[in-house]
Amino acid sequence: MKLKYILPFLFLSIAFTSVAQENPFQTKNSQIEMAGKFKLDEFLSSLSFKLVGSDGKFGIEISLSEEGDHKSCLYKVTRLTSPQQTKSVRGVIYARMMKALPCNYQVKDKKLQSILNDTRLINIRYQLEPDNTISGNIEFQGLQHRKDSTF
Amino acid sequence: MFHLLLTILISTKVFAQVASTEQLGTLNTIQNGFATVAECQNEQTEGVNCAGTALDESLKDILNLATTNQCVASNEDLQNTGIDIPNCPEASDSLKGLDHSYPSGGIFSVYTGNNDGFIEDLLTEYLADNPGGRFNLVLPRERQSYLQNNPNLSRLLNNESVNIIQVETMPAVDRWMQDSFEFTSLDGKPAIYQLEHYREERSSFEDRLACQIAKSCNLPYFIPPDMVDPYNSDINSLNSGGNLETMPGGTLYRGIVKSNGFSNYNMPEDTRAPYQTDYQRIQRESLEAAGNKVLDLDTSFLSVGHVDEIINIVKTNRPAPCDYAVILASPEKAFELMEATAARTAPTPEELEQELTQPTKKRISSSFSLIENRPQRDIDCSEVGYYSLAVEGISNRLSPERVEEIYNLHCMDEQSIHSFVESDEYQILKNENLEGYNPGDPSISDVMQENRDALVAELARTTECSNPPIVEAPVFFRGGVSYAPDLVNGVVHPNAQNTSSIIMPRTYFQPFDQYMEKELSSLGVGSSFVHSVGYHILDGQVHCGTNSARICK
């Protein structure tokens, strides 16, 4: 599922601000906001991700809503790139679960709960669409499971 | 790097305006399926160093020694430095490849305005043992002011061995010099062979990087058969230059998707392996029609999908026919070295008893805080993570003292090697690289073993060497890309000892870098490292960011 977003180049612009006034990697000076909705395999629950952060520190918030109850967990972003410069022509967001704040989802579907609580790494690959939306792939890597989905 | 020996029958010239599109260019000649493009021909007499484009006035003061029209060294220039020039492969009207044992007459790279450390390192290491070679810098006019503000780099580039190729804007392919074209050899001299690239789709040929280099360097420029139709476009990373190489013996090798069980990086959705693009199918047909063997290897687990990420070839000091070595990405070697280093650098029991743990709160939003506990005794690697290192190398190369300081921290990106090896992340990556995701799925290691077996079998057939040395490069993967800078993806050039020297990405993890130096040295192969972390975080490495014009006689 494709959603609109604001081009997330702030991280790279922070990284390369020492280059010049005219930052070749900066296209918009705006707050980072990037999100997507997806489902994992046969599970009915709709999941979403959202990039949060500022000042060079970012997290990916994975959330699901179940019977009016919103559950989420935060993962620390370790790599964030835009499609404009990468060799693969796809942007990347890699994240890992924080040891001090492990995820502890309590959801109705226990199989889904097991997968979510097992997840330690999130890999997102995205590309730009002509209408300024993004589409891509999100991968959940855990000690016991690996799942992926498109968004 | 894929070098073709292209011999076109000149006995009957056919000049016909076979196809013309307003968008792409005027195709003048099509022979053996290859075309030339009017807009990419230099008007100067062929074979004569053209006047080139004079340097902008603003650069003449700082680059008065650099040239603008001497892109490739002559055979004589290289021979005068002690480098032997091999004979060109037997040529008739067929296509042949030049592997990495052929001399580099010129290396090409792009100045981006924030890769100064990389360019400094690359220039220094390339000319150190290839002083006859030419260092070509593609310099976009829109980035010139950054160079002018860097006196160290300007001073280094003000050198008679440096050739400046000025272009108006950053190329559409950005810093990825390897991907949109290959150097060929025509009558023993370099020529340029345009390849399809996603970022140049529907661009006129005149605007493409390869065409601009061809005109500036007065080199012949050709379009391959599959690109003659301007609407034939796969838009797939598998079609790029880093995914077509030559091995000793002349067989061409490339990557396709052979295995299921990995993320679907370069296959269309709802497609099952084996898979290759239409471009690759036509490419194989035209290469085989010219009498070549094409070996398809498996790059299923790679996001970019290029063979130059996992295989390289260097010339050694061993006697023929086994006078070369194959460098292969080896996750096993990577995990072995990391675990050995973690054991060696683990905190002692006494240190652990004194350990105090304090949570460090970093508020990042109104709802959440990023909280991470780090034992005080653990090494602080936050300042030497890859993003920090990329920023550090923007304007200058890192000093040897700084490199040594980083090595002594024993960090893997932002984590101490001890913490990393103890982490769930490490275990997951070890499973992915060595065991496979699910029962029955291949692991990355399984795929690399298949690739190794196929390569060795082909080399035995074509070079009569049944047991070439294999250098297992410590490289492991996450999400389809190498976790640390990829030691396989170096650029190779011969040296005065007539073995190879390879310029590799520095991983900043000393056990990896030292291991490669030692292994290569035992084979008589020279090695050096450059700061290419800015390329690494963008999914590429040294070889990806360069192109080399190889020569023969």
Side-chain angles (χ1 to χ4, degrees):
Chain A
M1 187 182 294
K2 303 172 187 179
L3 292 182
K4 288 188 179 178
Y5 81 120
I6 299 172
L7 298 177
F9 298 126
L10 184 58
F11 184 94
L12 285 178
S13 70
I14 289 170
F16 293 104
T17 47
S18 60
V19 175
Q21 296 170 338
E22 187 185 332
N23 188 330
F25 292 88
Q26 188 173 339
T27 60
K28 272 189 184 181
N29 186 14
S30 59
Q31 276 208 306
I32 289 184
E33 185 178 334
M34 184 164 163
K37 284 187 181 175
F38 57 97
K39 289 187 180 181
L40 292 180
D41 282 352
E42 70 278 17
F43 300 110
L44 297 176
S45 299
S46 186
L47 293 149
S48 65
F49 74 84
K50 182 181 173 186
L51 186 71
V52 297
S54 62
D55 297 331
K57 304 287 181 189
F58 299 101
I60 280 284
E61 186 182 293
I62 302 290
S63 307
L64 79 161
S65 293
E66 191 178 59
E67 295 176 341
D69 190 15
H70 183 77
K71 301 167 174 66
S72 62
C73 191
L74 190 66
Y75 300 78
K76 178 185 174 184
V77 168
T78 57
R79 184 179 282 200
L80 173 61
T81 56
S82 74
Q84 258 72 348
Q85 287 88 31
T86 59
K87 186 169 159 75
S88 59
V89 202
R90 283 181 290 241
V92 152
I93 307 175
Y94 287 169
R96 63 168 178 258
M97 191 184 74
M98 291 179 285
K99 286 180 198 173
L101 207 61
C103 294
N104 185 22
Y105 292 90
Q106 298 291 325
V107 301
K108 200 171 163 187
D109 188 326
K110 295 304 169 191
K111 197 170 171 195
L112 177 60
Q113 175 177 306
S114 167
I115 289 169
L116 293 175
N117 288 336
D118 177 55
T119 296
R120 299 290 184 271
L121 305 178
I122 308 277
N123 300 332
I124 297 170
R125 289 206 167 264
Y126 69 94
Q127 57 251 352
L128 301 177
E129 296 294 335
D131 59 354
N132 272 347
T133 60
I134 60 165
S135 64
N137 180 271
I138 182 166
E139 183 183 5
F140 284 59
Q141 287 185 299
L143 292 164
Q144 308 295 333
H145 304 95
R146 177 194 163 262
K147 296 286 181 189
D148 63 0
S149 176
T150 54
F151 63 91
Chain B
M1 173 73 61
F2 166 49
H3 292 87
L4 303 176
L5 178 65
L6 171 63
T7 303
I8 297 179
L9 286 174
I10 310 294
S11 56
T12 306
K13 289 187 179 179
V14 177
F15 288 97
Q17 199 160 351
V18 177
S20 173
T21 65
E22 290 183 5
Q23 296 91 354
L24 300 189
T26 307
L27 305 185
N28 270 341
T29 311
I30 294 185
Q31 286 186 327
N32 301 328
F34 288 80
T36 60
V37 176
E39 291 83 351
C40 299
Q41 288 176 330
N42 195 297
E43 291 174 0
Q44 299 288 328
T45 306
E46 189 180 328
V48 173
N49 276 334
C50 62
T53 306
L55 268 184
D56 289 355
E57 285 299 321
S58 55
L59 290 177
K60 281 183 180 170
D61 285 342
I62 59 171
L63 295 177
N64 59 301
L65 295 178
T67 64
T68 57
N69 62 344
Q70 296 174 33
C71 301
V72 184
S74 66
N75 288 11
E76 191 183 355
D77 287 341
L78 290 187
Q79 283 171 323
N80 287 343
T81 63
I83 291 177
D84 292 338
I85 311 291
N87 292 329
C88 297
E90 283 185 17
S92 56
D93 59 348
S94 61
L95 301 173
K96 299 293 179 193
L98 298 182
D99 63 68
H100 289 177
S101 66
Y102 286 83
S104 166
I107 192 172
F108 292 72
S109 197
V110 177
Y111 181 67
T112 63
N114 62 6
N115 65 342
D116 298 45
F118 172 75
I119 296 296
E120 279 190 49
D121 271 352
L122 187 68
L123 170 60
T124 304
E125 299 305 334
Y126 178 72
L127 294 179
D129 55 7
N130 192 32
R134 309 288 304 159
F135 186 91
N136 293 274
L137 189 69
V138 173
L139 179 57
R141 286 194 167 82
E142 63 184 14
R143 303 290 160 92
Q144 269 174 208
S145 59
Y146 306 151
L147 177 60
Q148 287 163 315
N149 288 332
N150 188 337
N152 283 340
L153 180 57
S154 303
R155 216 165 13 245
L156 205 60
L157 287 169
N158 194 21
N159 183 320
E160 290 173 350
S161 297
V162 173
N163 188 69
I164 303 293
I165 301 171
Q166 287 186 282
V167 296
E168 283 307 313
T169 59
M170 267 302 285
V173 297
D174 203 81
R175 65 187 66 201
W176 309 115
M177 178 65 79
Q178 177 64 213
D179 285 341
S180 66
F181 71 97
E182 291 286 2
F183 276 105
T184 72
S185 182
L186 176 62
D187 294 331
K189 295 193 176 102
I192 284 180
Y193 170 93
Q194 177 75 60
L195 291 173
E196 177 195 298
H197 194 279
Y198 175 66
R199 289 204 178 96
E200 290 183 332
E201 193 201 1
R202 301 284 188 262
S203 296
S204 69
F205 291 121
E206 197 171 17
D207 290 337
R208 300 190 189 203
L209 175 63
C211 178
Q212 293 177 26
I213 290 176
K215 285 172 68 173
S216 180
C217 297
N218 195 20
L219 296 171
Y221 171 91
F222 297 96
I223 308 269
D226 53 280
M227 288 184 71
V228 169
D229 176 355
Y231 297 103
N232 183 19
S233 174
D234 278 323
I235 317 176
N236 193 304
S237 179
L238 295 176
N239 300 336
S240 295
N243 198 31
L244 186 61
E245 299 290 323
T246 310
M247 64 176 82
T251 298
L252 306 159
Y253 63 98
R254 59 187 195 171
I256 65 171
V257 182
K258 283 190 172 184
S259 303
N260 297 299
F262 297 103
S263 289
N264 212 4
Y265 295 121
N266 294 301
M267 261 195 319
E269 270 187 65
D270 302 323
T271 305
R272 299 278 294 170
Y275 170 79
Q276 60 178 294
T277 66
D278 286 340
Y279 174 99
Q280 287 184 304
R281 182 180 49 75
I282 298 170
Q283 183 186 69
R284 169 185 277 277
E285 287 168 1
S286 61
L287 291 172
E288 286 179 343
N292 291 284
K293 177 81 188 292
V294 178
L295 179 65
D296 282 339
L297 298 172
D298 194 350
T299 55
S300 308
F301 61 92
L302 295 172
S303 168
V304 175
H306 294 179
V307 282
D308 71 349
E309 301 173 69
I310 53 173
I311 300 164
N312 208 332
I313 308 278
V314 288
K315 189 160 182 259
T316 70
N317 59 2
R318 301 276 173 92
C322 294
D323 56 347
Y324 59 87
V326 180
I327 303 176
L328 291 176
S330 172
E332 290 92 341
K333 183 57 65 180
F335 288 105
E336 175 196 316
L337 291 174
M338 286 191 287
E339 286 169 20
T341 309
R344 188 162 48 82
T345 59
T348 63
E350 292 73 27
E351 288 168 338
L352 283 173
E353 274 186 27
Q354 294 167 17
E355 187 178 277
L356 292 172
T357 302
Q358 286 185 341
T360 305
K361 277 194 181 180
K362 293 179 184 174
R363 198 152 189 82
I364 56 118
S365 75
S366 59
S367 305
F368 295 99
S369 299
L370 269 176
I371 301 175
E372 286 221 283
N373 286 348
R374 183 172 57 78
Q376 279 195 333
R377 277 298 295 123
D378 197 16
I379 304 293
D380 182 359
C381 295
S382 57
E383 299 301 314
V384 295
Y386 295 138
Y387 278 106
S388 298
L389 289 177
V391 172
E392 205 170 324
I394 284 177
S395 301
N396 298 101
R397 62 193 311 207
L398 273 63
S399 67
E401 294 75 24
R402 177 57 176 153
V403 170
E404 195 62 27
E405 188 182 22
I406 297 168
Y407 275 152
N408 288 335
L409 291 173
H410 299 297
C411 296
M412 179 59 64
D413 200 2
E414 287 187 329
Q415 302 178 78
S416 73
I417 191 62
H418 173 69
S419 291
F420 181 54
V421 168
E422 295 286 309
S423 69
D424 289 343
E425 177 184 7
Y426 182 86
Q427 193 54 55
I428 290 169
L429 294 178
K430 198 171 175 184
N431 288 345
E432 176 181 354
N433 279 261
L434 303 184
E435 304 291 336
Y437 286 129
N438 300 307
D441 283 347
S443 68
I444 292 173
S445 177
D446 290 335
V447 173
M448 284 307 300
Q449 186 61 50
E450 297 272 342
N451 285 335
R452 175 179 177 149
D453 292 344
L455 264 172
V456 170
E458 183 62 18
L459 286 165
R461 188 185 74 80
T462 58
T463 69
E464 297 180 352
C465 176
S466 57
N467 197 20
I470 304 287
V471 178
E472 295 177 331
V475 179
F476 66 109
F477 300 89
R478 172 182 171 176
V481 292
S482 62
Y483 192 98
D486 184 344
L487 287 160
V488 175
N489 195 270
V491 62
V492 180
H493 59 267
N495 53 45
Q497 288 72 46
N498 285 299
T499 61
S500 288
S501 287
I502 178 169
I503 302 173
M504 293 177 283
R506 192 184 297 279
T507 68
Y508 290 100
F509 183 61
Q510 192 172 38
F512 282 5
D513 295 346
Q514 268 186 344
Y515 176 82
M516 285 301 286
E517 265 182 322
K518 179 167 162 283
E519 290 295 304
L520 292 168
S521 174
S522 72
L523 296 167
V525 176
S527 60
S528 58
F529 298 94
V530 296
H531 182 82
S532 59
V533 181
Y535 287 66
H536 171 61
I537 60 175
L538 298 176
D539 298 347
Q541 313 286 338
V542 177
H543 187 258
C544 305
T546 57
N547 216 321
S548 297
R550 299 192 186 271
I551 58 179
C552 58
K553 66 176 183 190

